Amino acid sequence: HKCQLTKLHDWSLKKMTHRCKIPIFSLFTIATRASKSLTNDFIFKLYVMRKLALMVMLLLASAGMKAQEKKWEHQVFISSGILFNRDDGSSETGLSAQLGYGLNHFLSEKFSLMPGIVLRYASDNGFKRSLEGADDDNFFFADIPLMALYHVSGHANGWVLGIGPVFSFALDKDNYDNDANPNDPLNGKSKIKTFGLGLQPSVTHKLGRFRLGVEGHINLTNMLEKYDRVSSSKHLHHVVASLYYRF
């Protein structure tokens, strides 16, 4: 009987142990699945946050680019008008034509600074036929203007007032050519100096991408090259109509 009781007791313990294993395994499975669910949920939230952060960065970059576009403008322009070629007390009129590029930088909504590069042609026989034997003036310059602009209506359409210095470099200084006296010592010599300084006033009106108006060039320095027989002065002024296009 004692042996049977022992066997029965051992069998009962095994059965109880077997029964106890089922809930423990089930709890482990549930915990594992819950852990996986939490992990997947965390990964999904991290993915969403990452996408949102990327979208915010793209929006900020786009806004920065738009702000940058408002601060900088490329401008090309053409000009044509009247040249005033002043020699001492006398003055002759002619043609002045320009082709240029400017990089406009807004310091505020209404003020901007625009340096540029301009090719300028100046001729005192632009509107009349050259007389036979006459020694007309024909000059070609590379100008570097530094314009300070005031935009009355800010970035909107409206008047733009400007003024600034112009640094001029003569690319073609023209040479004296006295047909009546081939032995003239001035023949073949340059008429003007290489460097000149001017002042450019400007009144234009902005309409969309275009800007149209009137500009001047006041030659502040004597451009005439000095020689033994040459002691007068020469100043090349002009008033031109200008058309700008910005992009």
Side-chain angles (χ1 to χ4, degrees), residues 6-203:
T6 304
K7 289 181 178 179
L8 181 60
H9 183 264
D10 293 339
W11 177 82
S12 299
L13 287 174
K14 289 180 181 180
K15 189 174 183 181
M16 288 177 65
T17 304
H18 180 70
R19 285 178 179 176
C20 290
K21 285 181 180 179
I22 295 173
I24 293 172
F25 178 76
S26 299
L27 288 172
F28 178 77
T29 304
I30 293 170
T32 303
R33 289 178 179 176
S35 176
K36 287 183 178 179
S37 178
L38 289 172
T39 303
N40 291 336
D41 186 59
F42 176 76
I43 292 173
F44 176 74
K45 288 181 179 178
L46 188 64
Y47 173 80
V48 172
M49 290 175 65
R50 183 180 173 184
K51 289 293 183 182
L52 288 174
L54 183 60
M55 288 176 64
V56 170
M57 289 175 65
L58 288 173
L59 288 173
L60 289 175
S62 177
M65 288 177 66
K66 288 181 179 179
Q68 191 74 4
E69 287 175 1
K70 289 182 180 180
K71 287 186 177 181
W72 292 94
E73 288 180 349
H74 301 277
Q75 298 195 10
V76 292
F77 65 93
I78 55 173
S79 305
S80 183
I82 301 175
L83 169 73
F84 299 94
N85 187 353
R86 293 186 60 84
D87 258 320
D88 282 341
S90 63
S91 178
E92 290 184 309
T93 58
L95 170 68
S96 182
Q98 297 182 126
L99 175 65
Y101 163 81
L103 182 60
N104 192 30
H105 176 58
F106 279 90
L107 303 175
S108 65
E109 184 181 356
K110 292 192 174 184
F111 289 95
S112 68
L113 192 65
M114 189 173 77
I117 180 71
V118 182
L119 297 177
R120 174 166 57 101
Y121 174 71
S123 174
D124 64 1
N125 67 342
F127 299 110
K128 60 181 183 295
R129 290 188 61 181
S130 181
L131 298 175
E132 186 177 353
D135 189 8
D136 297 319
D137 291 339
N138 296 280
F139 307 117
F140 196 57
F141 297 92
D143 293 340
I144 302 176
L146 183 59
M147 296 295 295
L149 301 175
Y150 176 69
H151 304 257
V152 177
S153 303
H155 292 286
N157 294 336
W159 291 101
V160 181
L161 308 177
I163 194 165
V166 180
F167 306 96
S168 300
F169 300 89
L171 303 179
D172 184 353
K173 298 184 284 185
D174 201 4
N175 296 329
Y176 288 102
D177 185 13
N178 188 351
D179 291 341
N181 184 9
N183 297 320
D184 191 328
L186 289 177
N187 283 344
K189 292 185 178 181
S190 300
K191 294 180 180 179
I192 61 173
K193 300 173 182 177
T194 302
F195 176 76
L197 178 64
L199 183 67
Q200 178 174 320
S202 172
V203 179

